[in-house]
Amino acid sequence: GCLTALQDLAKRTTAPRVLDIGCGSGVLAIAAAKLWRREVFATDIDPVAVLVTEQNAEVNGVGHQVMAFHADGAVGVEEAYDVIVANILAAPLRELASEICLFLTSGGTAILSGLTHDQEPSVLAAYLARGSILAKRLRIGEWSTLVIRKLPQHYRNRTTR
């Protein structure tokens, strides 16, 4: 689901700043680096996952583009990103909603996966409460991918009046 969403986004977006939270083996960071041919940042709470991401990026010819760091969520992130991808479990996706929305640029896109259909409402609610909208929902088997777009501030101000 995340790979499909990244490919769809690449058709409409050029040269975004990308962050992969919970990079695991680095598949999504590598895909983003190949799609946009630019630097991608990746974090994981597991230092072994960071090492594996670096190794896989090297093997796939994008070692110089994938910057992997050991971090809990977006801890240590200091800049905004146009695209944030997180293929983790539903509970961490809910817990990270504030961080992800904080570090997502106005009009930016978050691709969230690792949740089942029945977990969609609670995950989606966490992001809608922070000024985002559901742009697209992908379902593969029992798994869901939510594509969230952060509304620009002037739209968020209109909806709260």
Side-chain angles (χ1 to χ4, degrees):
C2 286
L3 289 171
T4 299
L6 281 171
Q7 287 175 319
D8 289 348
L9 190 58
K11 294 173 188 172
R12 301 183 316 275
T13 308
T14 58
R17 289 186 44 79
V18 180
L19 173 65
D20 179 1
I21 296 177
C23 59
S25 63
V27 170
L28 299 175
I30 292 164
K34 287 181 171 263
L35 282 168
W36 286 290
R37 294 183 172 95
R38 67 167 298 158
E39 197 170 68
V40 173
F41 293 87
T43 67
D44 203 292
I45 60 172
D46 182 355
V48 174
V50 172
L51 179 62
V52 170
T53 293
E54 291 170 339
Q55 291 169 342
N56 286 339
E58 195 64 40
V59 167
N60 283 277
V62 291
H64 62 289
Q65 291 174 270
V66 175
M67 306 300 133
F69 301 95
H70 176 246
D72 186 1
V75 171
V77 172
E78 296 178 2
E79 298 182 42
Y81 290 85
D82 306 302
V83 176
I84 297 177
V85 61
N87 185 19
I88 53 180
L89 299 173
L93 285 173
R94 285 190 300 269
E95 292 166 14
L96 289 169
S98 291
E99 285 181 64
I100 288 173
C101 290
L102 177 65
F103 291 108
L104 193 60
T105 59
S106 180
T109 302
I111 300 170
L112 311 172
S113 195
L115 60 145
T116 57
H117 302 312
D118 63 320
Q119 295 169 328
E120 282 182 23
S122 65
V123 172
L124 183 56
Y127 290 83
L128 296 179
R130 289 164 178 84
S132 298
I133 60 167
L134 176 64
K136 188 173 190 176
R137 173 185 289 119
L138 300 164
R139 290 181 168 171
I140 301 172
E142 67 184 68
W143 297 102
S144 295
T145 300
L146 302 175
V147 180
I148 305 295
R149 188 156 303 119
K150 183 177 177 179
L151 289 173
Q153 187 64 42
H154 66 278
Y155 286 112
R156 284 184 276 156
N157 290 342
R158 282 187 201 164
T159 60
T160 58
R161 287 185 194 166

